[in-house]
Amino acid sequence: MIDQDQARKFWANWVRREIGGNDMVQEAAVGAALNEIVQGHDNQAAADAARRTAQSLGVGVSTSHPNPPPQGAREIVAGQPLACKLCGSKPAANMTIHEHNGRLVWMVHKTTRGPFCRDCGTALLRHHQNNTLFQGWFGIFSFFITPITLLLNLNAWRKIKALGPPQKDPNVESKIPAPLTPGKPLLSRPGPYVAGVVVAAVIAFVVVKTVDSGGCLDNRTELGNRMTRLHNAFVQTYNTDFKTINACDTVDCESAPKRHIAAALKTYNDGLGTICWPDKDKADATALINANTAMADAYTTWATATNDAEDQSLENSAREQDTRQSTADDILARDLGVPSASATT
């Protein structure tokens, strides 16, 4: 974001005054200084690079100038107002401006640290926010990092808003002779509109998926997996308890496993009730829930038998509900395209 034309003028004047030499030497020295600035190095490094370049071309200059260009805020005495890192203007504030770019399978995160004056800070913030809004979404992780980056820049925005108009301090030399032009407002740049399109596309995708599944986001595979886990957990309990029932010699012995099967059916229903069923599966899911309830009631009643005759009568009713439950279970499993474990008696 450094205005290279302004920076070139500044360093051309400095080289002409401090180094001299012919046009070729001066141009080479200016280029060396600008290269250091572009790489983020300070003015001292730029001045040293210019001198080294001039020396290599046969111009004799001191390698350590007694008055190298001062470093803006870094030359301010402690307790004095900060000066802008770029233009040397006051007032200025310390701040960090972030930019994030997504690259599908990798990402690039940049930070620019102050202090900056109001105009330089505004120009940099608009530039980095626009780039983030324009390029930040295109990656799995970047899609979530970009909003965080935008929020982090709010701190810099607040500091910039609190600054007054920049005033050039003649005692502070700088990388550029004047504050950066803030440029177009953020809403006059393409970034916000690219971000709007991306967010709108994501919302549209979610809405379409929701409508397509009757308000439920589980896909068929996930529905099938959840149904299978619930069914198999019940069947495991059912088979274990029925082995106990078959091994009993008295109706009292059979009471506890019958009640346990009834409780397992209620647990099965609780699990089915937590699933958001698509419209096309709701009827079959409801039928299974009703069948589970009827079977649980039948087994609870069967567990109250006190003699063999009563036990036999109630068993017939329980078996009938058992068959209906198994049929409803098979229908829903078939609709979801999943295999299920079988209950044995």
Side-chain angles (χ1 to χ4, degrees), residues 7-296:
R8 176 172 288 278
K9 290 178 182 178
F10 172 80
W11 282 101
N13 291 333
W14 186 88
V15 168
R16 188 181 306 110
R17 182 179 69 251
E18 303 292 342
I19 296 178
N22 59 34
D23 290 345
M24 182 189 73
V25 171
Q26 291 187 26
E27 181 63 26
V30 170
L34 289 176
N35 185 57
E36 293 295 318
I37 297 299
V38 168
Q39 294 182 43
H41 299 158
D42 59 19
N43 284 356
Q44 182 64 64
D48 290 343
R51 293 190 187 97
R52 287 195 302 271
T53 300
Q55 282 184 318
S56 69
L57 295 174
V59 176
V61 294
S62 171
T63 58
S64 178
H65 196 276
N67 295 304
Q71 294 308 306
R74 286 185 287 273
E75 297 297 320
I76 300 299
V77 178
Q80 294 297 315
L82 293 174
C84 180
K85 177 181 178 180
L86 296 179
C87 69
S89 296
K90 299 177 183 178
N94 279 316
M95 64 187 73
T96 301
I97 302 173
H98 302 269
E99 177 182 327
H100 186 83
N101 302 150
R103 297 289 189 271
L104 295 182
V105 294
W106 78 93
M107 63 189 75
V108 177
H109 195 88
K110 306 174 184 177
T111 55
T112 302
R113 293 180 173 83
F116 300 119
C117 67
R118 186 189 66 182
D119 289 1
C120 289
T122 299
L124 290 168
L125 181 62
R126 288 176 177 177
H127 172 76
H128 290 303
Q129 287 285 79
N130 180 68
N131 284 353
T132 299
L133 288 165
F134 193 93
Q135 305 177 58
W137 310 98
F138 308 109
I140 297 175
F141 297 109
S142 291
F143 186 85
F144 300 99
I145 294 174
T146 288
I148 297 174
T149 302
L150 297 171
L151 291 174
L152 287 175
N153 283 339
L154 288 177
N155 186 47
W157 178 78
R158 286 194 298 268
K159 291 183 177 182
I160 291 169
K161 287 295 182 182
L163 293 172
Q167 301 294 326
K168 182 69 176 177
D169 187 340
N171 297 317
V172 179
E173 293 193 36
S174 55
K175 296 179 181 179
I176 57 177
L180 295 173
T181 301
K184 296 179 181 179
L186 191 57
L187 291 179
S188 296
R189 305 184 187 211
Y193 304 100
V194 172
V197 170
V198 172
V199 173
V202 171
I203 293 174
F205 175 79
V206 172
V207 169
V208 169
K209 289 291 292 181
T210 301
V211 172
D212 184 57
S213 58
C216 305
L217 294 178
D218 285 336
N219 58 38
R220 302 300 289 176
T221 300
E222 178 60 20
L223 281 172
N225 290 339
R226 295 178 69 179
M227 170 65 184
T228 298
R229 288 193 293 269
L230 291 170
H231 171 86
N232 290 349
F234 163 69
V235 168
Q236 183 177 5
T237 299
Y238 180 92
N239 289 341
T240 300
D241 286 335
F242 237 99
K243 288 180 181 178
T244 303
I245 292 172
N246 290 334
C248 285
D249 294 327
T250 65
V251 292
D252 288 339
C253 172
E254 297 176 2
S255 179
K258 292 171 184 174
R259 295 181 188 278
H260 196 213
I261 289 174
L265 284 162
K266 292 178 182 178
T267 300
Y268 192 177
N269 271 357
D270 289 342
L272 293 172
T274 64
I275 298 175
C276 180
W277 294 98
D279 289 340
K280 61 183 177 182
D281 298 315
K282 282 182 179 178
D284 290 339
T286 300
L288 176 57
I289 290 172
N290 292 338
N292 285 347
T293 300
M295 181 177 170

